[in-house]
Amino acid sequence: MEALPVSQTLVPATPPRENAFLTLSVASRPALFIALALALSSAVAFALLPVLHDWAELGPVWIGLVGLAAMGRCIELHRSEVIGACFQLLSAFFLICLLGSLAGSVLATTAMPLVDPMLARADAVIGFDWLATFQAWETVPNLYFSLSVIYSSLAWQPVVLLGLLAASGRIDAAWQFLTAWGLSLLTATLIFPFFPAHANFVIHGIDPGDAPEILVPAGWLFAETFDSLRAGAIVLIGREHLDGLVTFPSFHTSAAILLAAGFAYLRRLAWPFAIWNALMIVSAVFVGAHYLVDVLAGIIVALGGLLAAQRLVPVKRV
């Protein structure tokens, strides 16, 4: 067969080169879409409700998180995939958390009727007396101190988990966890304005001095911001207003379920963190002053978020 001249040799057409910097990984896309959904929810709420966004305070935060994500993308493409992924995961995590808090603060201004009596009746129906149990457990030395330490671990557990998953090469598992976290937070935030509540410390008149072993003031401090937003006393929302205001469903409970599922990918840490997060669910009732039905709803929200995330971001078992 006669060879073709070089000029006539068939060469596959080279596809146009995509901008690698702007091309998102399949695993990261759902989490970033959730962040956009939270941002959109906040924007719509700001447009409809009589509150304003404090750009002077919050603007630098948003710019900083976007800059951190961009730096992580550059590092991932040109230096280290693991370090770059860590930067992107952490920036996405903090962005989702802050947007969720912002949306919750704005939605609190809807000031729908408080549902504490309904939630208390629901607890009674399932045979749970929060006040009697709280007072009985006060007699156990150091119990509430220990539960306070466990309750406050929500501040560091997600960061440690994301870092360990990325460092061990389980970046897809890290994005799956973050997707489940974002979906659960979005769900809890959208439910919250229809079921606003003060929770048990406020309802039963328990002051911090009445429970000195409880080191975390979250069960008391949120009420001041919550009531001020509902009363219209806060019209400019800044960093100091981004408290956890959601009572029903309990996001602390949802987070505990998701963290236990995330640490399950790190086999040596699976059981220790499963036990730790089971205790964090208990701490949500007594340190966070949640109704038991808040906890049950939080479990359902977490399981729904986890199942959806497993569909959206499949992870290979190793």
Side-chain angles (χ1 to χ4, degrees), residues 133-181:
T133 308
F134 179 82
Q135 291 172 338
W137 284 23
E138 276 188 304
T139 61
V140 181
N142 298 319
L143 176 61
Y144 286 149
F145 171 83
S146 301
L147 288 177
S148 295
V149 172
I150 293 170
Y151 184 90
S152 62
S153 70
L154 185 60
W156 57 262
Q157 276 199 81
V159 175
V160 170
L161 174 60
L162 291 171
L164 289 176
L165 287 173
S168 62
R170 306 307 308 274
I171 296 173
D172 55 348
W175 282 114
Q176 185 191 83
F177 164 77
L178 194 52
T179 299
W181 182 280

Side-chain angles (χ1 to χ4, degrees), residues 77-228:
L77 291 174
H78 302 292
R79 293 290 180 182
S80 167
E81 182 182 3
V82 170
I83 296 175
C86 280
F87 275 90
Q88 292 177 81
L89 286 162
L90 291 175
S91 60
F93 170 73
F94 287 117
L95 184 63
I96 287 172
C97 290
L98 288 172
L99 284 170
S101 296
L102 180 65
S105 295
V106 179
L107 292 172
T109 63
T110 56
M112 296 186 71
L114 295 171
V115 297
D116 289 277
M118 182 187 75
L119 297 176
R121 286 196 299 271
D123 271 11
V125 167
I126 57 181
F128 182 70
D129 186 330
W130 184 91
L131 182 60
T133 308
F134 179 82
Q135 291 172 338
W137 284 23
E138 276 188 304
T139 61
V140 181
N142 298 319
L143 176 61
Y144 286 149
F145 171 83
S146 301
L147 288 177
S148 295
V149 172
I150 293 170
Y151 184 90
S152 62
S153 70
L154 185 60
W156 57 262
Q157 276 199 81
V159 175
V160 170
L161 174 60
L162 291 171
L164 289 176
L165 287 173
S168 62
R170 306 307 308 274
I171 296 173
D172 55 348
W175 282 114
Q176 185 191 83
F177 164 77
L178 194 52
T179 299
W181 182 280
L183 285 171
S184 300
L185 182 58
L186 177 62
T187 302
T189 302
L190 294 178
I191 291 173
F192 157 66
F194 301 100
F195 296 91
H198 273 137
N200 282 297
F201 286 155
V202 176
I203 294 302
H204 294 292
I206 298 173
D207 296 322
D210 299 326
E213 282 197 350
I214 295 181
L215 307 178
V216 183
W220 291 284
L221 291 183
F222 92 98
E224 182 179 352
T225 300
F226 179 64
D227 289 338
S228 296

Side-chain angles (χ1 to χ4, degrees), residues 9-60:
T9 303
L10 297 178
V11 179
T14 302
R17 179 179 174 83
E18 294 183 358
N19 188 327
F21 181 82
L22 298 177
T23 303
L24 301 175
S25 69
V26 174
S28 69
R29 290 172 189 170
L32 298 179
F33 284 136
I34 292 164
L36 288 175
L38 284 165
L40 181 61
S41 301
S42 300
V44 171
F46 273 117
L48 298 177
L49 298 170
V51 284
L52 299 171
H53 179 280
D54 190 342
W55 284 105
E57 272 199 5
L58 294 176

